[in-house]
């Protein structure tokens, strides 16, 4: 009995202790709950929201690119496509791939869908989570698309959808300039989360690339509630983005089209510039390619064709192609002599058909020689000996200085990315580059725009524009500023951009250029403009691609048809019009085209006439009309 | 003690069926039912407002457990006393069997399939251990309990099943068995310093035991020590669980409004981590209500133990109550990040049949103790009624 009591007492006492212990532990739990649910509640609530709310970006429509007349040159096209959501296709108790395949088979009866495409979709079904839509087919015709819509109830999991693709209405005519868009690649810096959107495309070349940030716009966003697997449960909030800005380029699409067609299948580059504003009215490179294909994606064969084509369609020859300017360089050489005081406007040279320097004989293009010539006549007839003489006296450094003043040998900051600077050699340059001193004979070669001298068609057009506008430095531009200030008429003498050329010297050179096409003795007489008031001035150029041997010179040059294409001379021509008050400058370079005056001259003629007839430079889209009420005119 | 001292009621050793029914502890039964109802409500919310996912099955289990509880409660406590060692022996044999079978099939093996139902011997052991220890200490005097000589058997009785469960591996159940066994020894009067020595010995064993832990068990413990160690891997459970609890705040996000649970950020939300859903949706208020219910249940168990006139009954009631408390504490401490993650369900709330049946059976014993509280049982069969 006593034992029993003792046992009971111990039990009761220890039970009390146990209860106390349990009470302590329970209060530990309660304080823990208080800590989590009251003290740190706010923090955890935020974490819970971060968990469940996912921000998804909505891509804005890409901005349009329009030409100076407001014509769309890069727009967006609706892309009718079909998506497959595997889980919606799934029947209970069936494998996902089986269900998806059955749906695709049914779809194949409505639209063309080959086995390859089906395999690709099925592979993606296996790889992605079952609620992620998979693109089955894109760029469907409206007929196919509506047929799918009608049959949608019988196609579980098939979702018809409208996306956007970049579209270039003028296609290949503006391909090099406007550029193209392509999917974001791994090497692109992700400076905007928008770039991570599936299917997002960025500007890869041309204006698309240059103005990419403007064109992109600002992404909108949608806040969606997601579960732990990333499935969207519902949309909580939607913020609209800003569509991309419209970008207007200086190009006149019609002039561009005209010039492109005029140049045909030649491997050529050309540029037309407004001599006052520097607006690039046309920038042509032929042959070209279709930029819309890039937005869709090219097949390997298509890409190889473009890359291996001998006339390099992907290259923008107007800014990337570097050619010896040939005789089109002679105005710069003449001005270097005149401005440097080495020669004067009345300088005369006798041309016997060649010039001997040391033991070398330098030939004029005219075998019999031109006889005695003035500066104006030297330009008119493009006498090589005359310019050998000038160049020998002036020296390469003065020539280089003048060429640099005219913007040769430098990029124009057009922003096309692929633009090349060309090359204007100096003594220092040669020594540094080759380790050899400049030779006197090299002065002569440079004097007729050959040897080391390299220029791009755009640079030549800008040079011509500066000759035409009275010697004021202009910078070619491709994008029309949205708010150009009202520009006052400028004076070539006092303008800060003035090249500080003597009006008399410039007049003498220009007189020569006028006579090139308008004098019967001029090298470009065949390319003259006969329409009254539209006359042009110009200068032809023919740049040798390989040296002419003594034997060839003695026997007479072979007929052009017998020389392989890649050995033929480059044909060049620069010109401006109208003569009285110049407005347009144009340069055309035709790779291996033969004679500058016979091949390139007529092209410049036609392009300049077209530009004048349509008043390309004066027309601007209504959007910008208010900003620039009057065109710039020299006083 | 003479019969006259204790009054007329005590003279009646055998109770009639009607009397037993009448003396069922309806308060405790109501509490258990109410708590389970609370659990069903949470399961209903988790299932997104449908009952056939979990609620119906869980209700059926409760009904089964309830019936078992009543039947067990009506059986004479002396029969349970007699069956105690047998039950323990069977449970131990089954544990060995499961371990051997588990070794053969590689991987965690906790179930044994006996035709109609699959049985988890470790669950059976939880109740059997209480019965066996209660009987052992019932049959020994306080002096014996205090002497080390008589302590050997109960220690082996505790350690043997605990070790078998640990190699399954089931750290949670092993802990439960150890805690429950130690508590019964404590209540029986084993000297306090013995616990001190045992604790020190256990602490010394930790580095050795660490090597025997499975990688996932080590991970759980490391993760517990530093939850941010691997927030998407091993630490994911506990981090998401804490987020759910914290997001619930004082008043909760509202019934069926818990984003953490409904958007499946919480793993095992209907089983071991159900407390987080409850606390997310009903807040701290809801969590305290549940704790209140548990405290009431424990209080009932305690009261029943203290009112029992036989030592076996006292120890059984306290043992079951302690097991129940361990379930509650380990589970809540685990989901709130106070203890490493071990697989212990929240009693009466978590979805799952095994724990439900075990606990209901346990409470059946407690009610049996209640019904037969006035029966005195001699220390040894045929011995004097103490």
């Amino acid at each position: 009995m006593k034992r029993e009591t003792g046992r009971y007492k111990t039990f009761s006492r220890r039970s009390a202790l146990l209860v106390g212990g349990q009470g302590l532990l329970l209060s530990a739990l309660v304080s823990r709950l208080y800590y989590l649910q009251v003290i740190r509640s706010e923090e955890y609530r935020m974490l819970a929201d971060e968990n469940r709310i996912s921000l998804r970006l909505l891509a804005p429509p890409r901005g349009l690119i329009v030409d100076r007349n407001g014509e769309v040159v890069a727009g967006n096209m609706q892309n009718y496509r079909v998506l497959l959501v595997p889980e919606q296709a799934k029947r209970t108790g069936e494998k996902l791939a089986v269900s998806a395949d059955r749906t695709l088979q049914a779809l194949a009866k409505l639209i063309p869908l080959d086995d390859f495409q089906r395999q690709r979709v099925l592979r993606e079904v296996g790889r992605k989570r079952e609620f992620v839509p998979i693109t089955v087919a894109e760029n469907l015709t409206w007929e196919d698309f509506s047929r799918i819509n009608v049959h949608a109830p019988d196609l579980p999991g098939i979702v018809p959808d409208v996306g956007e693709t970049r579209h270039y209405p003028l296609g290949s005519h503006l391909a090099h300039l406007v550029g193209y868009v392509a999917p974001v690649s791994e090497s692109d810096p992700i400076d905007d989360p928008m770039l991570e959107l599936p299917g997002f495309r960025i500007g890869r070349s041309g204006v698309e690339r240059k103005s990419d940030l403007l064109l992109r716009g600002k992404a909108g966003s949608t806040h969606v509630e997601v579960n732990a697997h990333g499935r969207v449960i519902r949309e909580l909030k939607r913020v609209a983005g800003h569509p991309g800005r419209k970008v207007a380029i200086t190009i006149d699409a019609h002039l561009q089209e005209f010039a492109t067609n005029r140049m045909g299948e030649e491997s050529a580059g050309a540029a037309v510039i407004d001599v006052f504003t520097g607006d690039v009215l046309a920038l042509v490179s032929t042959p070209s390619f279709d930029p819309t294909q890039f937005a869709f994606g090219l097949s390997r064969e298509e890409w190889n064709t473009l890359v291996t084509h001998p006339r390099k369609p992907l290259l923008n020859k107007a800014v990337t192609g570097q050619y010896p300017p040939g005789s089109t360089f002679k105005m710069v050489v003449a001005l270097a002599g005149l401005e440097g005081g080495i020669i004067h406007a009345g300088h005369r040279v006798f041309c016997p058909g060649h010039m001997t320097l040391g033991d070398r004989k330098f030939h004029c293009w005219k075998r019999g020689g031109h006889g005695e010539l003035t500066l104006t006549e030297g330009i008119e007839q493009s006498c090589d000996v005359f310019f050998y003489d000038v160049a020998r006296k002036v020296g390469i450094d003065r020539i280089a200085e003048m060429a640099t003043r005219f913007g040769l040998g430098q990029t124009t900051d057009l922003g096309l990315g692929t633009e090349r600077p060309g090359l204007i050699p100096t003594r220092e340059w040669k020594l540094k580059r080759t380790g050899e001193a400049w030779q006197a004979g090299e002065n002569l070669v440079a004097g007729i725009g050959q040897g080391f001298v390299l220029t791009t068609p755009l640079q030549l057009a800008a040079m011509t524009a500066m000759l035409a506008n009275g010697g004021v430095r202009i910078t070619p531009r491709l994008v029309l500023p949205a708010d150009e200030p009202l520009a006052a008429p400028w004076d070539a003498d006092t303008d800060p951009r003035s090249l500080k050329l003597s009006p008399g010297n410039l007049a003498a050179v220009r007189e020569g250029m006028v006579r090139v096409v308008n004098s019967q003795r001029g090298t470009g007489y065949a390319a003259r403009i006969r329409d009254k008031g539209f006359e042009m001035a110009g200068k032809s150029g023919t740049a040798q691609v390989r040296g002419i041997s003594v034997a060839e010179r003695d026997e007479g040059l072979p007929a052009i048809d017998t020389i392989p294409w890649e050995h033929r001379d480059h044909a060049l021509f620069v010109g401006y019009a109208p003569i009285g008050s110049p407005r347009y400058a144009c340069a055309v370079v035709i790779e291996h085209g033969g004679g500058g005056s016979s091949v390139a001259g007529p092209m410049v003629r036609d392009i300049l006439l077209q530009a004048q007839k349509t008043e390309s430079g004066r027309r601007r889209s209504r959007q910008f009309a208010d900003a620039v009420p009057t065109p710039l005119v020299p006083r | 003690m003479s019969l006259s001292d204790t009054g007329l009621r005590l003279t009646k050793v055998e109770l009639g069926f009607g009397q037993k029914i009448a003396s069922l502890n309806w308060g405790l039964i109501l509490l258990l039912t109410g708590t389970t109802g609370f659990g069903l409500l949470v399961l209903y919310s988790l299932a997104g407002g449908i009952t056939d996912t979990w609620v119906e099955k869980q209700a059926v289990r409760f009904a089964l457990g309830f019936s078992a509880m009543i039947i067990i409660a009506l059986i004479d406590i002396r029969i349970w006393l007699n069956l105690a060692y047998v039950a323990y022996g069977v449970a131990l044999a089954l544990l060995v069997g499961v371990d051997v079978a588990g070794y053969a099939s590689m991987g965690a093996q906790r179930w044994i399939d006996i035709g109609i139902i699959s049985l988890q011997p470790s669950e059976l052991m939880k109740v059997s251990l209480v019965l066996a220890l209660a009987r052992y200490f019932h049959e020994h005097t306080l002096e014996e309990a205090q002497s080390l000589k008589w302590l050997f058997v109960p220690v082996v009785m505790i350690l043997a099943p605990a070790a078998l469960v640990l190699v399954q591996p089931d750290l949670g159940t092993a802990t439960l068995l150890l805690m429950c066994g130690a508590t019964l020894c404590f209540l029986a009067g084993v000297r306090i310093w013995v616990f001190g020595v045992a604790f020190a010995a256990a602490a010394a064993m930790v580095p050795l035991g660490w090597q025997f832990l499975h990688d996932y068990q080590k991970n759980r413990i490391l993760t517990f020590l530093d939850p941010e160690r691997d927030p998407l891997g091993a630490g994911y459970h506990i981090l998401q669980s804490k987020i759910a609890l914290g997001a619930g705040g004082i008043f909760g996000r509202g019934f069926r409004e818990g984003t953490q649970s409904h958007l499946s950020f919480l793993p095992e939300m209907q089983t071991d981590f159900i407390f987080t859903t409850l606390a997310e949706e009903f807040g701290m208020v809801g969590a305290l209500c549940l704790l209140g219910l548990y405290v009431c249940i424990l209080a009932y168990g305690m009261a029943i133990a203290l009112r029992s006139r036989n030592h076996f009954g006292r120890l059984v009631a306290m043992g079951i109550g302690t097991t129940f408390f361990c379930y509650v504490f380990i589970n809540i401490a685990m989901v709130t990040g106070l203890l490493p993650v071990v697989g212990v369900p929240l009693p009466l709330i978590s979805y799952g049949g095994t724990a439900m049946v075990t606990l209901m059976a346990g409470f059946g014993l407690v009610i049996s103790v209640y019904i037969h509280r006035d029966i005195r049982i001699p220390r040894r069969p045929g011995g004097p009624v103490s």
Side-chain angles (χ1 to χ4, degrees):
Chain A
M1 189 88 287
K2 202 178 156 211
R3 272 181 189 151
E4 178 59 27
T5 315
R7 219 156 66 153
Y8 183 66
K9 273 188 180 164
T10 306
F11 177 82
S12 311
R13 201 170 52 237
R14 293 207 167 176
S15 289
L17 279 174
L18 188 69
V19 167
Q22 291 182 350
L24 274 178
L25 290 175
L26 280 178
S27 44
L29 287 185
V30 171
S31 16
R32 179 67 174 173
L33 285 175
Y34 180 78
Y35 171 74
L36 289 175
Q37 298 200 279
V38 178
I39 297 177
R40 293 188 61 184
S41 174
E42 222 165 289
E43 176 190 336
Y44 281 123
R45 189 160 290 207
M46 240 167 58
L47 283 174
D49 281 346
E50 271 174 33
N51 257 351
R52 76 183 174 100
I53 296 170
S54 158
L55 185 106
R56 311 232 157 152
L57 291 175
L58 305 166
R62 193 169 171 86
L64 301 179
I65 301 178
V66 296
D67 83 338
R68 62 188 303 111
N69 305 317
E71 190 174 325
V72 174
V73 295
N76 300 316
M77 203 172 54
Q78 282 186 320
N79 169 12
Y80 299 113
R81 57 186 182 179
V82 195
L83 309 175
L84 172 72
V85 182
E87 69 168 4
Q88 290 174 12
K90 191 173 176 341
R91 277 188 201 160
T92 40
E94 198 177 46
K95 276 196 168 175
L96 211 55
V98 177
S99 313
D101 196 36
R102 196 191 44 246
T103 300
L104 290 177
Q105 305 267 19
L107 184 67
K109 291 183 184 133
L110 298 175
I111 57 164
L113 195 71
D114 55 37
D115 273 0
F116 179 75
Q117 276 172 297
R118 235 182 45 231
Q119 291 308 320
R120 177 187 61 81
V121 174
L122 290 177
R123 265 201 309 278
E124 278 195 63
V125 169
R127 216 171 42 232
K128 290 186 172 164
R129 278 179 285 188
E130 58 188 30
F131 55 85
V132 177
I134 294 160
T135 310
V136 178
E138 277 191 288
N139 306 310
L140 296 170
T141 62
W142 173 245
E143 286 72 33
D144 283 343
F145 189 66
S146 43
R147 203 174 311 128
I148 292 166
N149 272 293
V150 169
H151 289 89
D154 308 326
L155 297 166
I158 287 293
V159 182
D161 184 59
V162 182
E164 243 178 24
T165 353
R166 202 63 164 165
H167 173 59
Y168 302 97
L170 278 87
S172 59
H173 291 141
L174 273 166
H176 296 105
L177 206 67
V178 171
Y180 53 88
V181 292
V184 183
S185 78
E186 277 172 37
S187 54
D188 290 308
I190 303 290
D191 44 9
D192 186 331
M194 203 156 66
L195 267 57
E196 291 175 301
L197 283 171
F200 191 81
R201 284 165 165 83
I202 60 170
R204 263 281 170 264
S205 79
V207 178
E208 291 276 27
R209 193 180 89 135
K210 176 185 160 75
S211 301
D212 192 42
L213 287 181
L214 281 175
L215 291 165
R216 264 188 219 168
K218 204 167 154 277
S221 59
T222 163
H223 294 248
V224 290
E225 187 172 78
V226 296
N227 69 3
H229 312 296
R231 182 203 296 274
V232 175
I233 306 297
R234 62 185 158 149
E235 185 172 65
L236 302 172
K237 188 169 89 172
R238 183 182 272 262
V239 182
H242 301 295
R245 289 267 297 277
K246 189 197 250 179
V247 169
I249 54 174
T250 58
I251 298 292
D252 179 335
H254 292 291
L255 184 65
Q256 176 84 17
E257 199 174 345
F258 176 86
T260 311
N261 290 336
R262 179 66 184 81
M263 286 156 73
E265 281 305 299
E266 296 284 2
S267 177
V272 183
I273 291 185
D274 182 312
V275 303
F276 298 119
T277 58
D279 284 357
V280 178
L281 299 172
L283 196 68
V284 182
S285 178
T286 56
S288 189
F289 60 91
D290 182 4
T292 308
Q293 285 188 314
F294 279 75
F296 288 165
L298 291 172
S299 73
R300 188 179 292 273
E301 297 93 277
E302 286 171 321
W303 175 249
N304 282 341
T305 310
L306 283 174
V307 170
T308 56
H309 195 289
R311 302 198 174 188
K312 300 192 168 49
L314 288 178
L315 219 61
N316 184 357
K317 300 186 183 82
V319 294
T320 314
Q322 304 181 104
Y323 310 97
S327 300
T328 60
F329 195 55
K330 285 174 178 165
M331 286 80 81
V332 169
V333 178
L335 279 170
L338 291 167
E339 290 291 314
I342 314 293
I343 59 167
H344 53 87
H347 185 70
R348 285 172 172 275
V349 173
F350 179 80
C351 168
H354 61 84
M355 177 187 260
T356 312
L357 190 77
D359 55 354
R360 261 191 84 183
K361 216 174 180 186
F362 292 86
H363 291 271
C364 185
W365 64 269
K366 195 171 179 182
R367 287 190 75 195
H370 287 95
E372 192 169 87
L373 292 166
T374 63
L375 173 77
T376 313
E377 287 167 334
I379 295 175
E380 172 193 68
Q381 296 168 38
S382 199
C383 174
D384 290 336
V385 171
F386 185 94
F387 285 93
Y388 291 150
D389 180 67
V390 176
R392 187 173 55 85
K393 291 181 170 128
V394 173
I396 187 61
D397 286 351
R398 282 201 194 83
I399 294 172
E401 190 272 331
M402 185 55 69
T404 309
R405 272 207 249 177
F406 276 96
L408 300 178
Q410 317 145 44
T411 57
T412 57
D413 288 330
L414 214 52
L416 285 180
T418 54
E419 197 179 343
R420 303 292 298 273
L423 176 66
I424 298 298
T426 59
R427 289 168 184 282
E428 195 188 329
W429 171 84
K430 195 196 168 193
L431 193 64
K432 215 184 262 174
R433 183 64 192 272
T434 64
E436 285 170 35
W438 185 265
Q439 306 294 313
E442 286 170 328
N443 285 331
L444 273 51
V445 175
I448 59 161
Q450 307 235 34
F452 295 113
V453 187
L454 290 173
T455 56
T456 66
L458 178 67
Q459 286 172 1
L460 289 177
M463 174 197 80
T464 312
M466 288 180 242
L467 289 166
N469 70 15
V472 175
R473 178 76 186 248
I474 48 128
T475 309
R477 65 180 187 195
L478 200 52
V479 174
L480 276 179
D483 47 351
E484 192 168 53
L486 198 74
W490 40 263
D491 187 329
D493 298 332
T494 57
D495 195 275
R497 298 173 299 167
S498 171
L499 298 175
K500 307 254 186 295
L501 301 173
S502 143
N505 291 341
L506 195 59
V509 171
R510 276 166 57 167
E511 175 60 19
M513 290 177 75
V514 169
R515 287 168 68 167
V516 166
V517 269
N518 297 299
S519 149
Q520 289 200 17
R521 281 187 296 172
T523 54
Y525 184 64
R528 70 192 180 279
I529 293 176
R530 294 158 201 260
D531 302 42
K532 206 88 180 110
F534 292 102
E535 291 92 344
M536 73 163 182
K539 181 75 198 79
S540 60
T542 304
Q544 284 172 21
V545 172
R546 63 188 260 279
I548 298 172
S549 67
V550 177
E552 278 174 338
R553 205 173 285 283
D554 290 346
E555 290 165 18
L557 295 174
I560 187 143
D561 305 351
T562 63
I563 314 173
W565 181 75
E566 62 271 23
H567 289 166
R568 295 179 197 170
D569 296 341
H570 293 321
L572 297 94
F573 203 95
V574 300
Y576 65 85
I579 293 173
S581 55
R583 180 77 208 197
Y584 306 104
C586 175
V588 169
V589 178
I590 300 164
E591 287 183 351
H592 316 294
S597 48
S598 55
V599 184
M603 283 186 189
V604 171
R605 174 194 66 202
D606 294 345
I607 292 168
L608 281 178
L609 190 61
Q610 173 73 14
Q612 292 180 87
K613 291 245 162 114
T614 55
E615 288 283 27
S616 292
R618 278 175 237 275
R619 287 190 302 147
R620 284 192 98 172
S621 76
R622 201 173 299 145
Q623 187 194 348
F624 302 102
D626 297 340
V628 190
T630 48
L632 302 167
V633 201
R635 207 164 54 195
Chain B
M1 187 186 270
S2 72
L3 292 178
S4 56
D5 290 340
T6 52
L8 188 66
R9 202 160 52 95
L10 302 182
T11 58
K12 192 145 186 200
V13 173
E14 302 302 327
L15 293 167
F17 184 73
Q19 280 173 306
K20 284 188 179 182
I21 292 287
S23 55
L24 278 172
N25 194 322
W26 291 108
L28 181 59
I29 292 171
L30 201 68
L31 275 170
L32 294 171
T33 312
T35 310
T36 309
F38 198 177
L40 291 178
L41 198 66
V42 178
L43 285 175
Y44 174 76
S45 164
L46 265 176
I50 41 177
T51 50
D52 51 2
T53 318
W54 293 311
V55 177
E56 280 174 13
K57 283 185 199 155
Q58 185 75 349
V60 168
R61 284 175 189 148
F62 177 71
L64 282 174
F66 191 87
S67 315
M69 174 176 79
I70 298 297
I71 293 166
I72 290 167
L74 295 177
I75 294 171
D76 196 301
I77 191 73
R78 282 164 296 192
I79 295 177
W80 292 120
L81 176 76
N82 287 331
L83 281 177
Y85 287 157
V86 178
Y88 179 85
V90 169
L92 198 66
L94 285 174
L95 271 180
V96 173
V98 158
D99 278 3
V100 171
Y103 187 75
S105 72
M106 301 198 322
Q109 185 80 25
R110 299 172 189 178
W111 303 85
I112 203 160
D113 212 341
I114 48 165
I116 347 159
I117 52 160
S118 40
L119 180 83
Q120 222 173 330
S122 59
E123 292 297 323
L124 187 59
M125 181 50 84
K126 282 174 196 163
V127 179
S128 308
L129 181 67
V130 171
L131 286 175
L133 284 172
R135 175 169 176 180
Y136 183 85
F137 287 118
H138 173 84
E139 291 175 353
H140 292 83
T141 60
L142 180 62
E143 290 73 29
E144 283 168 344
Q146 284 170 342
S147 75
L148 283 179
K149 182 177 135 195
W150 296 100
L151 196 58
F152 179 74
V153 175
V155 166
V156 171
M157 273 161 78
I158 297 165
L159 289 183
L164 286 171
V165 166
L166 193 63
V167 298
Q168 278 185 352
D170 184 353
L171 196 59
T173 303
T175 313
L176 271 174
L177 290 174
L178 284 175
M179 286 172 75
C180 179
T183 306
L184 281 176
C185 292
F186 175 75
L187 290 171
V190 174
R191 294 203 180 274
I192 303 279
W193 64 263
V194 176
F195 294 96
V197 171
F199 187 78
M205 290 283 279
V206 165
L208 192 73
W210 179 257
Q211 292 171 25
F212 289 99
L213 287 181
H214 284 247
D215 279 345
Y216 85 92
Q217 289 174 321
K218 288 182 187 172
N219 263 337
R220 280 177 177 181
I221 292 169
L222 288 175
T223 303
F224 161 69
L225 296 174
D226 180 14
E228 275 77 37
R229 198 172 70 102
D230 183 10
L232 289 177
Y236 183 82
H237 276 62
I238 200 63
L239 200 67
Q240 294 301 337
S241 163
K242 276 155 82 175
I243 289 173
L245 288 166
I250 299 177
F251 298 106
R253 305 204 119 177
F255 184 52
R256 297 185 54 191
E257 295 291 325
T259 60
Q260 284 286 97
S261 357
H262 286 286
L263 301 176
S264 28
F265 285 104
L266 285 173
E268 315 250 329
M269 52 184 181
Q270 78 279 19
T271 58
D272 291 358
F273 280 75
I274 196 166
F275 184 75
T276 54
T277 303
L278 183 148
E280 187 188 15
E281 300 199 343
F282 300 107
M284 188 163 170
V285 174
L288 290 182
C289 282
L290 181 69
L291 283 178
L293 283 171
Y294 284 147
V295 167
C296 290
I297 291 170
L298 286 167
Y300 263 93
M302 167 83 63
I304 288 168
L306 290 176
R307 282 176 66 182
S308 171
R309 289 181 187 261
N310 52 73
H311 204 56
F312 177 72
R314 287 174 206 140
L315 289 170
V316 166
M318 278 307 272
I320 297 294
T322 303
T323 307
F324 184 74
F325 174 82
C326 289
Y327 266 105
V328 172
F329 178 77
I330 293 176
N331 180 275
I332 298 180
M334 165 183 96
V335 299
T336 54
L338 286 176
L339 282 179
V341 175
V342 286
V344 173
L346 188 63
L348 305 176
I349 306 284
S350 283
Y351 178 79
T354 320
M356 174 73 87
V357 171
T358 309
L359 283 162
M360 293 306 269
F363 280 109
L365 287 172
V366 172
I367 297 171
S368 174
V369 170
Y370 177 73
I371 293 172
H372 307 97
R373 61 191 178 274
D374 290 330
I375 293 174
R376 291 163 188 276
I377 307 171
R379 276 205 296 119
R380 284 178 213 293
V385 173
S386 55

